Amino acid sequence: MKAFVMPEVGQTDIVEKPIPQPGPNDVIVKTTHALICTSDVHTVKGALPVANGVTLGHEALGVIHAIGSAVTGFTEGQRVAVNAVTPCFECRYCQTGYTSQCGGPLGGYQYTAQRDGNMAEYFVVPHAKANLAPIPDDISSEAAVYACDMLSTGFMGAEHCYLRLGDTAAVFAQGAVGLSATIGLSLLGASRIFAVESVPNRQELSKAYGATDIIDFSEGDAVEQIREATDGEGVDAAVEALGFPQTWESCLRVTKAGGRVSNIGYHGENPNPLQVPLDAFGLGMADKSIHSGLCPGGNDRMQRIFALIRTGRFDPTRMTTHTFAFDDVGDGFRMMRDKEDGIIKPLITF
Ligand SMILES: [Zn+2]
Ligand SMILES: [Zn+2]
């Protein structure tokens, strides 16, 4: 089979690898659709210590090719997806509800980090009974693939805002994850959603997904603009969806006392520690909370996201700005890396 790999830091290539065989608890999926993620770009830059030659990718779905001996309830040829995070659902972290931290910090993130990723013609789904998610017949694979990471991560960002109906929120950056957080906040009942973004097609989509106010940071300090729009108060919750020190601090500054900061941005490319501005933190006494998190996985969560897509609450395929055949995945990857041509999310078809 063909697989999209990182031969060494800074490089990508398509190479031949053997089709994986299932262990007792695994399912092998023949890939039909996948999305390239900014995380893949970070990985190739050397942000994560991964093995040379590892297959990239963690947002893919397809049809069942082979089923491990201990896996029941699935049939060959069935259309299925798997989350980017594939926990065991058995260890102490999993049992206490922190499945993304399976076995230890970030341990649920197996694709690329601990095993081959799934930007390949076939891939392994570990702990398949808990992680494999049948795709309902009435939603397209092009929509379902957004549940693998973008919607799951963005919704987690919204969930960690702990909104009361009518609360206000800000989302810093409207890439695919930030846009998904905007969808989530809208569904959770935010009265006002300030979307901080300067790119026109992202601003447009943000409005379509429920943002009430677009804050263009190229026209002045985002925190000041949001304060002005809220009679100086700020917002109840802020989502950091970029992974920049400035936006992180902006989230702390823009929240009211009692506010919640929800971090979904990846901060691994910053050489310095993140700062907590003391005035914005009430010198440590402003009743503010910061919640970090990693994309939650599992079939149950995938089914709830599929249910929202099915009922037409939003259309995730609007985030697909480009489509490439798998043979051209390298072009999609480079466009994602260089943020060319208004790219939001490139879909790869097999
Ligand atoms: Zn991803
Ligand atoms: Zn576990």
Side-chain angles (χ1 to χ4, degrees):
M1 69 165 190
K2 286 185 280 188
F4 184 58
V5 304
M6 184 190 88
E8 56 185 278
V9 171
Q11 293 181 9
T12 60
D13 199 3
I14 293 179
V15 300
E16 279 291 324
K17 286 194 180 188
I19 295 173
Q21 300 294 311
N25 298 305
D26 301 336
V27 157
I28 308 301
V29 173
K30 185 177 193 301
T31 316
T32 59
H33 299 77
L35 294 166
I36 297 176
C37 186
T38 313
S39 304
D40 296 315
V41 175
H42 292 309
T43 301
V44 173
K45 277 188 189 167
L48 277 178
V50 303
N52 284 348
V54 75
T55 304
L56 295 163
H58 53 265
E59 303 181 27
L61 53 73
V63 293
I64 294 181
H65 170 70
I67 302 172
S69 57
V71 181
T72 53
F74 297 98
T75 52
E76 281 179 27
Q78 194 176 3
R79 199 165 58 111
V80 288
V82 65
N83 195 275
V85 161
T86 51
C88 76
F89 288 92
E90 289 178 5
C91 71
R92 290 187 70 177
Y93 282 93
C94 284
Q95 288 190 36
T96 49
Y98 297 104
T99 53
S100 304
Q101 320 301 333
C102 176
L106 315 185
Y109 183 51
Q110 292 200 11
Y111 287 129
T112 310
Q114 300 172 55
R115 60 166 66 236
D116 272 334
N118 55 21
M119 190 64 83
E121 289 179 309
Y122 295 82
F123 65 87
V124 180
V125 177
H127 314 293
K129 274 168 97 171
N131 286 310
L132 199 62
I135 302 170
D137 288 342
D138 52 1
I139 69 172
S140 68
S141 296
E142 288 82 357
V145 73
Y146 278 91
C148 299
D149 182 358
M150 297 299 95
L151 293 168
S152 184
T153 298
F155 287 0
M156 177 195 70
E159 287 159 349
H160 288 171
C161 286
Y162 304 103
L163 292 189
R164 297 155 299 200
L165 284 167
D167 270 352
T168 55
V171 187
F172 285 79
Q174 295 288 282
V177 162
L179 286 165
S180 299
T182 298
I183 296 171
L185 289 164
S186 177
L187 292 169
L188 286 167
S191 59
R192 227 170 151 183
I193 302 169
F194 295 89
V196 182
E197 181 56 66
S198 66
V199 180
N201 67 335
R202 295 179 183 216
Q203 292 177 339
E204 277 309 304
L205 202 43
S206 180
K207 277 189 250 176
Y209 283 158
T212 55
D213 299 73
I214 302 296
I215 301 294
D216 189 338
F217 58 83
S218 67
E219 291 170 5
D221 180 64
V223 174
E224 283 312 310
Q225 291 187 61
I226 294 169
R227 280 218 189 104
E228 233 166 75
T230 54
D231 298 325
E233 271 210 307
V235 290
D236 297 295
V239 178
E240 207 290 340
L242 190 64
F244 276 22
Q246 300 90 322
T247 43
W248 158 264
E249 289 185 37
S250 292
C251 286
L252 283 155
R253 291 188 191 283
V254 82
T255 40
K256 303 173 188 178
R260 285 83 66 192
V261 173
S262 169
N263 186 81
I264 47 178
Y266 168 78
H267 292 279
E269 284 188 6
N270 311 323
N272 301 314
L274 291 173
Q275 305 283 335
V276 173
L278 283 176
D279 55 338
F281 209 47
L283 311 176
M285 292 172 280
D287 269 317
K288 290 196 185 185
S289 57
I290 298 168
H291 200 142
S292 62
L294 172 69
C295 179
N299 177 34
D300 171 71
R301 185 174 182 85
M302 296 292 278
Q303 294 306 331
R304 284 185 285 116
I305 297 171
F306 291 156
L308 286 167
I309 297 172
R310 271 177 111 169
T311 47
R313 306 292 289 274
F314 56 88
D315 175 9
T317 65
R318 294 186 66 179
M319 289 186 267
T320 304
T321 49
H322 298 74
T323 302
F324 297 90
F326 180 56
D327 284 342
D328 301 321
V329 61
D331 295 335
F333 179 85
R334 278 185 289 280
M335 284 189 70
M336 197 68 173
R337 182 191 64 196
D338 302 334
K339 294 195 166 68
E340 282 173 14
D341 192 31
I343 196 163
I344 298 177
K345 215 54 185 169
L347 176 73
I348 309 300
T349 55
F350 288 73

